[in-house]
Amino acid sequence: MIRRDLIAPLGALIRRQRDARGEHLAFEDSGGDRASYRDLERRTAALAVALARGGFEPGERAAVLLPNSVDWVVATLAIARAAGVSVPISHDSTEPEIEYRLEDAACTVLIASARHAATIARLRAKLPALRTVIYRDAVDGDDGPRLGALCAGSPDEAPRDPDDLHRLAFIVYTSGTTGRAKGVMLTE
C-alpha cells in the first residue's frame, strides 16, 4: 500500500519532521557533527535563503563536492529548498571527472571541501558558468563564503521551498560503465 502522506515536497517533509521529532537525532557523521531534525530544518533553510540572496535562481544547478557528512546532507537539501538542482559529485572524483560533471550539468555554484581547492582553482577558467564557490573549510587566498557561516543562525525569511513534485531536483551521474557517465535527472 502506498503511504500518500509521505508524498510531499522536500521542504514540507523537512518541516513536518522538525515539528514531529524536534531535537531527536536526524544525522550524525564520522567527524562527530550531529544534526537534530530542528537543526536540519534551520540549517537547510538558512543556506537556501543565503543561496537565493547570492543570486542563485530557480532551476540553476549547484554541485556538492563534500565527503559523506552532515554538511553534505545540509547542502544537498538546501539546494532543493532554494528551488535549484543539486548535482552530487563523489569526493573521491578525479579532476577530469569533476570538470566533466560541472561542465555537463552547467553548474553555477559549487559547495566543496578544501581538499579540492587546487583542482577547483585550475578548473575555474575552463568553467565560465561556475560563478560561486562555497568552501566548507578555510582555503588560503580565498575569502569567499564558508558553508558553516551560511548555515548559521535562523533566516529572517522563508526559503523558496517549491511545491512542484515533478520539478527537476537532482542530477546524479552514473558510474559510466559503458562509456562516459550520464547525468540522470530526478524529480522531488
Side-chain angles (χ1 to χ4, degrees):
M1 174 153 198
I2 295 176
R3 297 249 342 248
R4 296 190 189 280
D5 60 313
L6 297 178
I7 301 172
L10 284 171
L13 291 172
I14 291 169
R15 290 189 307 278
R16 188 184 302 166
Q17 294 305 311
R18 173 204 61 202
D19 294 343
R21 299 186 176 176
E23 295 306 318
H24 286 93
L25 183 64
F27 291 99
E28 180 176 18
D29 62 33
S30 62
D33 191 7
R34 302 167 54 97
S36 68
Y37 288 95
R38 186 173 321 287
D39 189 45
L40 181 67
E41 192 284 328
R42 181 195 54 74
R43 287 166 68 176
T44 59
L47 181 55
V49 168
L51 287 168
R53 285 183 179 162
F56 187 66
E57 295 292 331
E60 285 188 346
R61 282 83 188 254
V64 179
L65 182 58
L66 295 171
N68 294 339
S69 60
V70 172
D71 284 338
W72 186 96
V73 173
V74 168
T76 301
L77 293 175
I79 292 163
R81 294 190 75 186
V85 179
S86 180
V87 181
I89 300 175
S90 171
H91 200 245
D92 294 324
S93 293
T94 64
E95 185 169 326
E97 291 168 333
I98 294 167
E99 179 181 7
Y100 170 69
R101 285 158 176 77
L102 291 172
E103 182 175 37
D104 187 63
C107 293
T108 60
V109 173
L110 171 61
I111 300 172
S113 69
R115 171 180 157 188
H116 291 287
T119 296
I120 294 164
R122 285 189 297 274
L123 293 177
R124 293 278 317 247
K126 299 179 188 178
L127 301 167
L130 183 62
R131 64 175 190 268
T132 304
V133 176
I134 300 167
Y135 285 107
R136 180 172 80 168
D137 325 287
V139 173
D140 289 340
D142 181 89
D143 60 354
R146 294 291 171 261
L147 184 59
L150 296 177
C151 294
S154 296
D156 56 1
E157 63 186 84
R160 291 183 181 127
D161 280 336
D163 60 4
D164 179 6
L165 291 174
H166 302 288
R167 78 167 192 90
L168 178 61
F170 306 95
I171 298 176
V172 179
Y173 281 83
T174 64
S175 61
T177 55
T178 60
R180 232 178 176 174
K182 310 287 187 292
V184 178
M185 299 188 287
L186 305 172
T187 62
E188 278 199 31

